[in-house]
């Protein structure tokens, strides 16, 4: 079976090289027949990719443990759905999945651009062919998912218990969809450079594609946070882990790309910015894989140390060099020649400032993430920075981004008059002052959360004022006629909701560790929690020990939660399975930290996370806004 899967990989590799070569020839000669042949070969590569993937999925599902990858990530008792998720659970399988997605997107683009100029579309598709073929090089020569052992194990090693969570079924695929989509965006950006086209046509053509890609990346990141929240058992959802940061970096730059592209499209400005942000977003997706696969940084998400990451590094350097070569060749045509007409008291000016805020945040997070590598090159000992560093350096940028997201909707595209600004900003400023005063009066005196709450409230009211003002002027129909603008506002509203949830859960949570005998109660955050007798339950591939905890408030029984520790057959370590009661005002989060039947005690860690549900709700609103905005046509002034 391994040989069959490998045969399909080799066919895909040969097809990829052939398609890439033909697209490059078509770029030079504009030969339509060559481009059409390349299209057919590219479709052939997708077929080969798909057949190879089907072989891997079948091997995972049926327990073909002679295949090393199957033996590493599955076992006989693993639930079937997690066997299928093994496709992207491990290094080799996830790379095959990534390459397959690139090929899928390339074929979609083949049909979408079938009537485009031959030279332009061949350039776009050459980028996709090169990228998908690069992944096949990795899965054939570096880390092959179809490698077979010289014996047939009776059982596999089993999947990491941390991955045996529903989040494993949808977090990696959505994140990969976000990563892979930028291959098309950067392909169009490069095609514009190769064809010496300084217009915004390439961005207009890929705007919807880029938004959908950004939506998937947003979902993937937040689902990753949700997975950490329910699976890692520490009460949080974001720890500034290197791999978490690696997914955030392209999200920041692609958010800047969308803002920059709006100015590029409307004003024919920020052309270099937009091209560079397309390149950076694409390369940061690959850079995240370099961090994960190379083992140069320690992370709860990373794979073992290997040379694989350096193949990514070489690919990043070479492709960036080619892109920058063509960028510099037409630098004069891309430069803004009317910079003095760029007013910062306008929506376009605010977008330009936001670009710097997003880029600055990307840089400080990137430096902190790579600090062990940077310091190791110049100092005898490596330096690692932790959560305090990231919180401290990122806070000013988040404040500025929140402020800009509130100011921009109230500004027009032309320079605003000071008296108009005072009138427009008055409700937001008043609301900000009221929010800050309310926190101080109720005894919340930490400066940073007060500042963040104030600017979040400013942004919220500004968004609402903008919507109400425009609806009053043009009626409810403006919400439909200008979907791009209001889709953006919905995204900003989702960001505000998420910001409230992050601020509350980060600064105002409550934690308590207790050790009690079964039958005893303890008070926590306005609740009375009564711990019951320990119980055990045997499942397919693990035994769970849980402590039922009955929750009371004001003498009334509300619910019974059952925090658990699981013991998997293939792993000696005990894994915590948290119990959560989620409400809009906050989550009650219980962890079974320790227990002993002989000594008759149960250790419970209780956490109350205020307003954390709004982090997930905010993500949903952002996704709705992105999809709504993607349905809009050419942007109209609002």
């Amino acid at each position: 079976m391994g040989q069959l899967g490998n045969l399909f990989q080799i066919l895909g590799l040969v097809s990829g090289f052939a398609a890439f070569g033909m697209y490059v020839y078509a770029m030079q000669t504009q030969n339509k027949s060559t481009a059409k042949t390349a299209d057919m070969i590219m479709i052939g590569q997708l077929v080969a990719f798909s057949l190879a993937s089907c072989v891997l999925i079948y091997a995972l599902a049926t327990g073909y443990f002679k295949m090393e990858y199957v033996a590493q990530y599955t076992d006989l008792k693993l639930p079937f759905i997690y066997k299928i998720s093994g496709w992207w659970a491990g290094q080799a399988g996830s790379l095959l999945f990534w390459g397959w997605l690139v090929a899928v997107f390339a074929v979609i683009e083949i049909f979408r651009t079938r009537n485009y100029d031959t030279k332009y579309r061949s350039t776009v598709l050459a980028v996709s062919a090169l990228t998908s073929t690069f992944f096949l090089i990795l899965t054939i020569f570096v880390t092959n998912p179809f490698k077979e052992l010289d014996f047939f194990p009776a059982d596999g090693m089993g999947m990491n218990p941390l991955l045996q969570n529903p989040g494993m079924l949808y977090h990696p695929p959505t994140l990969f969809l976000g990563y892979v989509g930028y291959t098309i965006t950067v392909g169009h950006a490069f095609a514009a450079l190769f064809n010496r086209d300084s217009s915004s046509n390439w961005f207009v053509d890929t705007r919807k594609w880029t938004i959908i890609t950004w939506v998937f990346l947003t979902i993937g990141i937040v689902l990753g946070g949700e997975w950490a929240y329910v699976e890692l058992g520490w009460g949080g959802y974001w720890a500034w882990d290197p791999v978490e940061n690696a997914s955030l970096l392209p999200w920041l730059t692609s958010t800047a790309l969308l803002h920059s592209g709006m100015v590029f499209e409307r004003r024919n400005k920020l052309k270099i910015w937009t091209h560079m942000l397309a390149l950076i977003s694409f390369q940061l997706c690959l850079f995240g894989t370099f961090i994960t696969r190379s083992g140069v940084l320690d992370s709860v998400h990373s794979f073992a140390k290997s040379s694989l990451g350096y193949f990514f590094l070489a690919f990043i350097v070479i492709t960036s060099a080619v892109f920058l070569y063509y960028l510099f060749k037409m630098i004069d045509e891309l430069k803004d020649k009317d910079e003095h007409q760029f007013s910062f008291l306008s929506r376009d000016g605010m977008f330009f400032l936001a670009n710097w805020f997003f880029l600055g945040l990307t840089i400080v997070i990137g430096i902190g993430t790579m600090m062990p590598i940077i310091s190791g090159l110049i100092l005898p000992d490596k330096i690692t920075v932790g959560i305090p560093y990231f919180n401290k350096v990122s806070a000013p940028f988040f404040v500025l981004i929140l402020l800009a997201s509130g100011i921009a909707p109230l500004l027009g595209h032309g320079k605003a008059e000071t008296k108009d600004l005072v009138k427009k900003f008055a409700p937001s400023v008043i609301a900000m002052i009221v929010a800050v005063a309310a926190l101080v009066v109720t005894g919340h005196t930490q400066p940073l959360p007060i500042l963040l709450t104030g600017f979040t409230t400013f942004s919220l009211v500004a968004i609402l004022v903008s919507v109400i003002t425009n609806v009053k002027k043009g009626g409810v129909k403006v919400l439909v006629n200008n979907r791009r603008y209001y889709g953006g506002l919905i995204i900003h509203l989702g960001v505000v909701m998420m910001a409230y949830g992050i601020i509350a859960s980060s600064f105002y949570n409550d934690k308590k560790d207790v050790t009690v005998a079964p039958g005893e109660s303890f008070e926590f955050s306005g609740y009375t929690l009564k711990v019951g007798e320990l119980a055990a339950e045997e499942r397919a591939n693990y035994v769970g020990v849980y402590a039922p905890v009955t929750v009371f408030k004001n003498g009334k029984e509300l619910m019974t939660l059952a925090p658990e520790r699981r013991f998997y057959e293939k792993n000696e370590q005990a894994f915590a399975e948290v119990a959560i009661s989620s409400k809009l005002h906050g989550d009650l989060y219980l962890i079974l930290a320790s227990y002993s039947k002989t000594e008759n005690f149960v250790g419970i860690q209780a956490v109350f996370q205020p307003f954390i549900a709004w982090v997930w709700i905010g993500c949903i609103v952002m996704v709705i806004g992105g999809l709504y905005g993607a349905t809009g046509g050419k942007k109209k002034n609002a």
Side-chain angles (χ1 to χ4, degrees):
M1 194 181 299
Q3 291 179 338
L4 181 62
N6 210 40
L7 173 63
F8 290 135
Q9 285 198 123
I10 293 171
L11 290 174
L13 181 70
V14 173
S15 299
F17 276 127
F20 175 70
M22 288 185 174
Y23 281 132
V24 171
Y25 180 77
M27 288 161 56
Q28 304 292 337
T29 64
Q30 302 189 52
N31 188 304
K32 288 187 178 182
S33 61
T34 302
K36 287 182 178 179
T37 303
D39 291 346
M40 297 304 296
I41 295 174
M42 194 68 203
I43 293 171
Q45 187 192 52
L46 175 59
V47 172
F49 251 125
S50 300
L51 291 172
S53 299
C54 287
V55 171
L56 180 59
I57 293 169
Y58 181 77
L60 290 164
T62 58
Y64 184 73
F65 300 122
K66 195 172 192 303
M67 198 179 293
E68 185 178 15
Y69 184 82
V70 176
Q72 285 178 328
Y73 291 99
T74 65
D75 61 71
L76 292 172
K77 292 186 177 181
L78 185 69
F80 179 77
I81 192 66
Y82 292 122
K83 290 181 180 180
I84 301 303
S85 72
W87 185 12
W88 51 76
Q91 181 164 272
S94 64
L95 292 175
L96 181 68
F97 180 68
W98 190 324
W100 175 76
L101 282 177
V102 176
V104 169
F105 283 17
V107 170
I108 292 172
E109 200 67 356
I110 283 173
F111 290 102
R112 194 182 75 87
T113 62
R114 59 187 178 276
N115 297 321
Y116 284 34
D117 173 73
T118 301
K119 183 178 180 182
Y120 180 90
R121 74 183 296 274
S122 296
T123 309
V124 173
L125 294 168
V127 172
S128 295
L130 177 65
T131 306
S132 61
T133 305
F134 168 70
F135 280 94
L136 278 171
I137 291 172
L138 298 179
T139 57
I140 292 173
F141 299 109
V142 186
T143 176
N144 195 331
F146 298 102
K147 178 183 177 182
E148 291 199 355
L149 302 167
D150 55 7
F151 64 101
F152 203 124
D155 199 359
M157 298 169 61
M159 183 177 287
N160 185 333
L162 292 176
L163 302 182
Q164 296 182 45
N165 177 280
M168 182 59 191
L169 305 178
Y170 39 75
H171 162 54
T174 51
L175 196 61
F176 284 166
L177 283 166
Y179 285 161
V180 171
Y182 292 113
T183 306
I184 303 300
T185 303
V186 79
H188 280 266
F190 178 68
L193 295 175
F194 187 80
N195 287 270
R196 301 194 69 85
D197 179 6
S198 62
S199 74
S200 62
N201 290 339
W202 72 267
F203 178 80
V204 174
D205 190 50
T206 60
R207 185 190 68 85
K208 292 182 180 180
W209 186 287
T210 305
I211 290 175
I212 299 300
T213 299
W214 178 90
V215 164
F216 277 116
L217 187 55
T218 301
I219 296 171
I221 292 170
V222 176
L223 287 179
E226 194 268 346
W227 168 82
Y229 182 62
V230 302
E231 188 62 30
L232 297 186
W234 60 287
Y237 48 88
W238 192 267
W240 295 107
D241 179 89
V243 176
E244 291 175 342
N245 296 348
S247 65
L248 179 62
L249 296 179
W251 185 89
L252 293 171
T253 57
S254 60
T255 304
L257 168 64
L258 289 170
H259 288 85
S260 181
M262 293 179 198
V263 181
F264 185 14
E265 178 184 351
R266 185 187 307 109
R267 298 284 302 278
N268 201 33
K269 301 178 71 64
L270 301 184
K271 289 175 279 192
I272 296 176
W273 267 97
T274 309
H275 279 88
M276 283 300 301
L277 286 169
L279 173 66
I280 293 169
S281 298
F282 170 71
Q283 301 294 19
L284 282 176
C285 293
L286 297 175
F287 180 73
T289 309
F290 161 70
I291 290 177
T292 310
R293 315 296 194 209
S294 65
V296 296
L297 295 174
D298 293 326
S299 164
V300 69
H301 306 77
S302 63
F303 297 92
K305 291 182 182 293
S306 76
S307 61
L308 186 67
Y310 299 101
F311 284 85
F312 277 95
L313 197 59
F315 186 80
I316 290 169
V317 171
I318 294 169
T319 53
S320 294
V322 174
F323 189 99
L324 293 173
Y325 170 76
Y326 283 97
L327 177 69
F328 286 123
K329 277 186 70 173
M330 59 178 303
I331 196 74
D332 290 335
E333 294 138 276
L334 295 174
K335 283 181 180 177
D336 291 335
K337 296 181 173 58
D338 54 349
E339 201 73 45
H340 61 282
Q341 296 179 12
F342 207 68
S343 171
F344 293 109
L345 292 178
S346 68
R347 193 178 300 164
D348 295 337
M350 199 54 56
F351 283 175
F352 177 64
L353 289 176
N355 272 358
W356 280 107
F357 301 154
F358 280 115
L359 188 61
L361 185 56
T362 302
I363 290 171
V364 296
I365 292 174
I367 290 174
T369 304
M370 298 300 293
M371 185 57 72
I373 297 175
I374 298 170
S375 60
L377 295 174
I378 58 178
L379 298 172
D381 298 315
K382 291 182 179 181
I383 298 173
T384 302
V385 298
I387 293 176
Y389 163 85
F390 288 107
N391 287 343
K392 188 174 292 185
V393 300
S394 64
F397 290 102
F398 282 126
V399 168
L400 291 170
I401 289 169
L402 282 169
L403 185 60
S405 68
I407 292 175
L410 296 176
L411 297 175
H413 297 294
K415 184 176 180 180
E417 297 294 333
T418 305
K419 62 180 181 179
D420 292 332
L421 292 179
V422 172
K423 184 179 179 180
K424 287 181 178 179
F425 291 153
S428 301
V429 173
I430 292 170
M432 179 175 67
I433 294 171
V434 170
V436 169
L439 285 175
V440 173
V441 168
T442 54
H444 301 93
T445 56
Q446 287 180 269
L448 183 55
I450 288 176
L451 185 67
L452 289 169
T453 301
F455 283 115
T456 302
T457 304
F458 176 94
S459 185
L460 171 63
V461 175
I463 293 166
L464 297 177
V465 167
S466 178
V467 173
I468 293 169
T469 301
N470 290 331
V471 169
K472 280 184 176 180
K473 288 180 180 178
V476 178
K477 64 180 182 180
V478 300
L479 302 177
V480 177
N481 294 339
N482 201 355
R483 294 191 296 277
R484 288 184 60 174
Y485 175 71
Y486 290 102
L489 284 189
I490 294 171
I491 292 173
H492 285 196
L493 181 62
V495 170
V496 166
M497 291 178 177
M498 188 177 285
Y500 278 124
I502 292 171
I503 295 165
S505 60
S506 298
F507 294 97
Y508 302 121
N509 56 42
D510 191 10
K511 296 182 180 180
K512 188 174 186 177
D513 292 297
V514 298
T515 301
V516 296
E520 292 183 345
S521 302
F522 66 95
E523 302 296 320
F524 171 70
S525 200
Y527 296 98
T528 300
L529 288 84
K530 184 177 180 180
V531 181
E533 294 287 342
L534 287 165
E537 187 174 18
E538 187 172 352
R539 294 294 180 91
N541 63 333
Y542 69 87
V543 174
V545 176
Y546 64 92
V549 179
T550 306
V551 181
F552 299 86
K553 190 163 190 176
N554 299 324
K556 181 182 178 181
E557 182 178 332
L558 301 180
M559 71 199 85
T560 297
L561 300 176
E564 180 183 3
R565 293 192 81 79
R566 292 180 178 177
F567 298 86
Y568 289 82
E569 292 184 10
K570 301 291 182 178
N571 199 299
E572 296 179 359
Q573 183 182 353
F575 290 84
E577 194 72 17
V578 302
I580 305 172
S581 172
S582 186
K583 307 291 183 184
L584 290 179
H585 70 280
D587 284 10
L588 179 60
Y589 183 104
L590 301 181
I591 306 162
L592 180 59
S594 60
Y595 66 89
S596 173
K597 282 198 170 185
T598 56
E599 298 180 27
N600 198 37
F601 75 83
V602 176
I604 297 289
Q605 183 180 50
V607 182
F608 184 76
Q609 289 282 24
F611 297 104
I612 193 171
W614 292 97
V615 175
W616 325 127
I617 294 171
C619 174
I620 293 170
V621 173
M622 290 171 67
V623 169
I624 292 171
L627 296 176
Y628 187 70
T631 64
K634 186 172 177 60
K635 189 165 184 176
K636 303 170 186 175
N637 293 346

